[in-house]
Amino acid sequence: YGDHRDLHLSLRRQRQMCIRDRYREKAAAVGAKYTQFRMGQKVRGDGSNITFVYGYYDSYEDQMFTQQLLTENPEPLQSTYGAMSDEDSGIIISSATMANNSSLGDNPAAGNSFAYAFMEIKDGINFALNFPKLQERLAEQGMPAIIDVLYCATCGADVLPANAVGYISAANLTDLGKALDIYALEENQLWLFRNMNPHIEMIDQGISVMLTD
């Protein structure tokens, strides 16, 4: 009974989470410097039901140290590292490193939701001048979410020409919906059209929900 497709997705997601947990434990045991290792699911946009795994670091030095461990592929990681990209797991390893100097806000938790837009910034000066004005504008309107942008440090061909990702991050989908209602107000869309849209080109947009802490 039930939807066999949903059952298949559920079983595959459970397997992915088991692989992720094993990998995180083994990576920590050999000194990998992840501050967090989280899994999220895309629920709106092209390719909905895609599951993403995110690694977080305090610095590029920590990331490169961890990358060195993965490149050397020490014995404790071999079996899990291979499983991370096998066909049966449904996991594809991509390459995109993005960063900013902003806090993640409250402690990340399962259920955190965010709308995102991969974009190509064509005029960095005007974008940098106007984006803080957008943040201030939406905060004054009571948006119950963080709006910010991450910039590509190293992004592979599967991400380019996007060189940044803007995001609205909320505690849950309900708060994200409230934030998007404010974002979608006609006055805000007109402001975006005049002040932001001339300097960017949208590449991909979607909504994701974190499945794990």
Side-chain angles (χ1 to χ4, degrees), residues 121-133 191 195-196 198-200:
I121 299 175
K122 295 181 173 291
D123 184 339
I125 293 176
N126 277 301
F127 182 88
L129 288 173
N130 284 302
F131 191 77
K133 297 177 183 178
W191 190 93
N195 297 284
M196 299 297 294
H199 314 306
I200 61 176

Side-chain angles (χ1 to χ4, degrees), residues 79-129:
S79 60
T80 306
Y81 187 67
M84 285 288 285
S85 58
D86 69 25
E87 292 182 1
D88 290 337
S89 72
I91 296 175
I92 299 173
I93 295 178
S94 183
S95 56
T97 300
M98 297 184 168
N100 63 20
N101 291 324
S102 303
S103 168
L104 288 174
D106 296 335
N107 291 329
N112 290 163
S113 306
F114 58 95
Y116 66 86
F118 280 94
M119 55 192 168
E120 181 183 7
I121 299 175
K122 295 181 173 291
D123 184 339
I125 293 176
N126 277 301
F127 182 88
L129 288 173

Side-chain angles (χ1 to χ4, degrees), residues 1-204:
Y1 298 97
D3 189 325
H4 289 77
R5 176 177 176 273
D6 287 345
L7 177 62
H8 171 71
L9 289 172
S10 176
L11 291 173
R12 188 174 72 172
R13 189 175 305 119
Q14 288 175 6
R15 181 164 184 239
Q16 290 169 345
M17 292 178 73
C18 288
I19 292 172
R20 182 212 61 152
D21 289 342
R22 290 198 306 272
Y23 179 80
R24 179 170 58 182
E25 291 170 2
K26 292 181 179 181
V30 298
K33 295 189 176 181
Y34 296 110
T35 58
Q36 293 183 48
F37 206 71
R38 307 177 69 200
M39 180 174 284
Q41 182 181 346
K42 187 173 183 178
V43 296
R44 287 290 184 272
D46 293 343
S48 292
N49 291 318
I50 292 176
T51 300
F52 295 93
V53 175
Y54 305 87
Y56 296 77
Y57 309 87
D58 281 334
S59 67
Y60 286 120
E61 181 181 358
D62 288 351
Q63 183 196 19
M64 292 300 104
F65 176 86
T66 300
Q67 187 62 52
Q68 181 176 334
L69 292 180
L70 302 185
T71 301
E72 294 170 353
N73 199 13
E75 181 66 26
L77 293 179
Q78 281 183 356
S79 60
T80 306
Y81 187 67
M84 285 288 285
S85 58
D86 69 25
E87 292 182 1
D88 290 337
S89 72
I91 296 175
I92 299 173
I93 295 178
S94 183
S95 56
T97 300
M98 297 184 168
N100 63 20
N101 291 324
S102 303
S103 168
L104 288 174
D106 296 335
N107 291 329
N112 290 163
S113 306
F114 58 95
Y116 66 86
F118 280 94
M119 55 192 168
E120 181 183 7
I121 299 175
K122 295 181 173 291
D123 184 339
I125 293 176
N126 277 301
F127 182 88
L129 288 173
N130 284 302
F131 191 77
K133 297 177 183 178
L134 174 63
Q135 291 175 302
E136 182 179 358
R137 178 187 183 90
L138 296 175
E140 289 176 349
Q141 294 175 5
M143 175 179 278
I146 297 170
I147 180 168
D148 214 328
V149 62
L150 293 161
Y151 300 96
C152 268
T154 55
C155 287
D158 53 340
V159 175
L160 296 174
N163 53 22
V165 57
Y167 62 89
I168 299 173
S169 176
N172 51 58
L173 280 171
T174 298
D175 282 352
L176 180 61
K178 294 175 182 176
L180 292 176
D181 281 338
I182 293 173
Y183 185 82
L185 290 173
E186 183 178 358
E187 61 189 90
N188 290 333
Q189 292 302 301
L190 289 173
W191 190 93
L192 287 163
F193 184 79
R194 289 192 297 265
N195 297 284
M196 299 297 294
N197 290 7
H199 314 306
I200 61 176
E201 182 174 340
M202 293 295 183
I203 306 299
D204 180 47

